[in-house]
Amino acid sequence: MGEIRSPYFSLGQNYFGDNSDHIHSPYISYGGEDYHGDYAEIHQDISGNSYNAQQFVKHGKAPRRVGGASNYGQESDVCIYKVGKALRESKKAMYSPQKISIGPIHYGKKHLSLMERKKSEYYEIFWKDRVSKAGELRGAEDEFWNALKEDEKKIKQCYEGDFGRIENLEDFLDLILRDAVFIFELFLKYSENEEEFKKDSKLKEPGLRAAIRRDLILLENQLPFFILEKLYKLLPENIKRKHTEFKALACFYFKRHLPSDLPPAETTPKHFTDLVRSLLSFTVKDKSVEQIKSFHSATRLRQAGVKFKLPREHDSLLHVHFNRVRTEFHIPQLQIHSDTESLFRNLMALEKRVYPGQEYICHYINLLSILVVKPKDAKLLMENKIVIYYKDEVAARDLIYSLASSSTTDLHSRYHHIFSAVDDYYKSSWAKNPAYFIEEFFGNFWKGVGTVSAAILLILTLVQTICSIRGLS
């Protein structure tokens, strides 16, 4: 049995190991870099918000108060959750948008007001430039509004809780409409022309595009995917061009920045958080989830002869494999950037609410936390290019431990067969003996001193015994 930390998977555990100063919240970039010029000059020629619920007075609908799923829907309809209190208090910044609110949960917060104005600018561009130039302006806006009205109850049922900052139904539907149009314009700009996207003055603030991409993955910051698909289908084909399906357009926006070659799940995702999970995780239950019965750290396995290598081919970050014949542990490369913790925390929060028994992202993080017990374990994985991090091994270990602490899954895992195979090798290998000897007798300074002292005492006793026997003879 290898090292087991205690408590192992604790909710809201604020332990950051030897160097807590190395843990930071992601505020700037998605994936540590931006492929479309996030760090260009700042341009702040911003107009006011000219679009609000009043523009829809022509529909003749009197304002009605609006509530969330607690008033209108069943628990089974909810897919956009508020993160639990314990998780939020431990790492609030990881679950909260930094630049843009999408949907009702974070709507109206002061630090997000700049992007509300930019969303209004995008709204005008979408209708006056994109849709009007396509010769489809007449009635198009009304079609979107009517489509929202048809599904107003279904949309509200997707959200957990009430919407305190939204007074009536018209404001709620206006919010959904403006957010949906912003997403369409953003995604279409991104897919059409990289150079033009770089020149977009409205998003030239340093790091803004990357921050938006990061915020669009947050569990609390979502629109239901079904309504985005429905509205997108109303657009003429000459606007959509090669991305005739909205899922394909969304995948194009997110996938380039994810370490995955997996196609999305065939089923309709619930929202962008769910879509990103399907691009990173397994989409079929091809392996059972069983209890892990043994644990060995990376350095201890290396002492036993296990080699850590990058797989030659893989289509997902989660595709981990142990080759017993070659004694090779194949783990795809994990590149840790400023927003990595936020990404994984939101995916794990989704899994815990929506995918009981299929918490594959949680299983992956727990696997890493079993291998990385001490900074020397993180250093070993970093030396083998399995973990890439611009900080040191202490920071890498602390981040992995922090992520594992947010996972409330027990010791059941999709990777149980890998741990069993590793443990079988460890127990049967002749190479295990020196590893066991080193760990047991020289695991720390005092163990080493005790071992050496005992060895010296044994030798002196043996010498004294031999001398006594010779003296008697």
Side-chain angles (χ1 to χ4, degrees):
M1 183 74 68
E3 303 94 321
I4 303 179
R5 284 162 290 167
S6 178
Y8 195 75
F9 303 126
S10 58
L11 182 62
Q13 190 79 13
N14 284 326
Y15 171 75
F16 300 110
D18 298 339
N19 195 347
S20 60
D21 291 336
H22 285 282
I23 298 295
H24 297 283
S25 301
Y27 288 96
I28 302 299
S29 67
Y30 183 90
E33 59 186 89
D34 189 90
Y35 294 87
H36 293 287
D38 284 352
Y39 304 102
E41 62 182 341
I42 299 177
H43 181 93
Q44 293 185 340
D45 181 17
I46 301 168
S47 63
N49 185 349
S50 59
Y51 285 83
N52 53 50
Q54 293 178 355
Q55 73 186 103
F56 297 108
V57 170
K58 61 185 179 181
H59 296 282
K61 302 298 182 182
R64 291 190 283 121
R65 291 195 64 80
V66 61
S70 61
N71 294 332
Y72 289 90
Q74 303 297 321
E75 176 65 23
S76 59
D77 299 320
V78 178
C79 63
I80 302 172
Y81 294 92
K82 294 181 179 179
V83 174
K85 183 178 179 181
L87 287 177
R88 173 164 294 284
E89 288 180 350
S90 66
K91 286 281 184 174
K92 182 178 180 179
M94 301 298 162
Y95 306 101
S96 302
Q98 307 295 330
K99 292 293 184 180
I100 185 171
S101 69
I102 296 294
I105 295 178
H106 292 278
Y107 174 74
K109 293 186 176 179
K110 290 183 178 180
H111 74 285
L112 304 175
S113 59
L114 174 63
M115 277 308 302
E116 289 303 309
R117 296 195 292 273
K118 290 180 181 290
K119 279 195 284 186
S120 293
E121 292 179 332
Y122 259 49
Y123 193 93
E124 291 189 44
I125 292 171
F126 180 79
W127 293 116
K128 293 182 179 179
D129 292 347
R130 187 178 298 277
V131 179
S132 179
K133 287 180 179 178
E136 301 287 345
L137 181 60
R138 180 176 298 178
E141 201 171 345
D142 286 345
E143 281 191 61
F144 270 43
W145 181 258
N146 292 333
L148 290 172
K149 289 288 293 179
E150 288 175 3
D151 283 319
E152 62 175 85
K153 184 176 180 180
K154 186 177 179 182
I155 295 169
K156 288 181 287 187
Q157 288 173 345
C158 291
Y159 291 93
E160 181 182 51
D162 294 321
F163 315 136
R165 296 180 179 88
I166 302 175
E167 292 294 328
N168 56 63
L169 175 66
E170 309 305 317
D171 288 342
F172 175 75
L173 294 183
D174 175 49
L175 167 67
I176 302 299
L177 176 63
R178 290 189 302 107
D179 286 352
V181 167
F182 172 81
I183 289 170
F184 292 159
E185 184 64 22
L186 178 72
F187 285 13
L188 288 169
K189 279 180 178 288
Y190 183 87
S191 68
E192 288 168 353
N193 188 309
E194 181 176 339
E195 292 303 317
E196 290 299 319
F197 192 77
K198 288 180 181 179
K199 296 175 183 177
D200 184 1
S201 62
K202 294 174 178 57
L203 299 180
K204 267 195 170 183
E205 179 184 337
L208 181 57
R209 294 187 187 92
I212 290 172
R213 195 180 304 112
R214 177 258 186 198
D215 286 350
L216 288 178
I217 297 177
L218 302 179
L219 179 58
E220 296 181 347
N221 211 38
Q222 298 298 320
L223 296 184
F225 201 89
F226 83 87
I227 197 62
L228 290 169
E229 280 194 319
K230 181 177 181 178
L231 297 179
Y232 191 75
K233 287 178 181 178
L234 297 176
L235 294 175
E237 297 303 314
N238 59 341
I239 289 179
K240 294 184 280 190
R241 298 184 182 180
K242 63 179 180 180
H243 294 296
T244 58
E245 299 293 330
F246 180 68
K247 185 194 286 188
L249 179 65
C251 286
F252 184 84
Y253 178 79
F254 288 112
K255 196 170 183 179
R256 186 173 178 181
H257 306 271
L258 296 172
S260 173
D261 292 323
L262 285 175
E266 294 182 3
T267 57
T268 300
K270 304 177 188 304
H271 38 65
F272 291 150
T273 316
D274 194 33
L275 175 67
V276 170
R277 178 185 178 273
S278 75
L279 293 172
L280 281 175
S281 184
F282 308 101
T283 56
V284 294
K285 296 181 66 175
D286 58 341
K287 286 185 172 62
S288 62
V289 174
E290 298 180 18
Q291 186 175 0
I292 306 171
K293 298 179 180 179
S294 60
F295 312 93
H296 303 290
S297 68
T299 51
R300 196 165 188 180
L301 291 175
R302 184 68 191 94
Q303 290 167 349
V306 175
K307 297 175 284 293
F308 290 90
K309 292 190 174 184
L310 296 173
R312 292 182 180 178
E313 296 181 359
H314 70 281
D315 54 12
S316 170
L317 184 67
L318 276 59
H319 280 165
V320 179
H321 175 67
F322 178 66
N323 187 320
R324 173 65 185 269
V325 176
R326 297 184 177 181
T327 63
E328 293 177 351
F329 215 138
H330 294 164
I331 305 176
Q333 187 176 88
L334 170 63
Q335 296 188 26
I336 300 176
H337 300 296
S338 59
D339 66 337
T340 299
E341 184 173 6
S342 175
L343 170 66
F344 280 119
R345 279 180 174 271
N346 281 272
L347 295 179
M348 291 190 292
L350 169 69
E351 288 188 333
K352 283 176 273 186
R353 297 299 297 267
V354 180
Y355 295 102
Q358 301 178 54
E359 303 100 325
Y360 301 140
I361 301 291
C362 294
H363 297 170
Y364 169 75
I365 294 299
N366 291 344
L367 178 144
L368 290 181
S369 70
I370 288 171
L371 292 175
V372 179
V373 178
K374 301 176 181 178
K376 63 180 181 180
D377 300 311
K379 184 178 181 180
L380 175 61
L381 297 187
M382 293 170 79
E383 289 174 347
N384 287 276
K385 307 300 182 184
I386 291 170
V387 174
I388 302 295
Y389 198 16
Y390 64 92
K391 297 182 180 180
D392 63 12
E393 62 270 18
V394 175
R397 188 282 308 269
D398 292 346
L399 176 57
I400 291 170
Y401 191 91
S402 176
L403 286 170
S405 296
S406 72
S407 170
T408 56
T409 57
D410 57 19
L411 298 186
H412 288 72
S413 174
R414 188 182 192 277
Y415 300 110
H416 67 91
H417 63 290
I418 292 179
F419 288 107
S420 295
V422 169
D423 188 52
D424 289 343
Y425 165 77
Y426 187 84
K427 289 177 179 177
S428 63
S429 173
W430 286 101
K432 177 248 182 180
N433 294 326
Y436 178 82
F437 178 81
I438 292 171
E439 182 67 25
E440 288 299 311
F441 298 103
F442 296 93
N444 58 49
F445 175 77
W446 294 112
K447 274 189 177 182
V449 170
T451 300
V452 172
S453 299
I456 293 173
L457 181 61
L458 179 62
I459 292 171
L460 291 176
T461 302
L462 180 61
V463 171
Q464 185 179 17
T465 302
I466 293 173
C467 291
S468 299
I469 292 174
R470 287 185 175 182
L472 291 173
S473 60

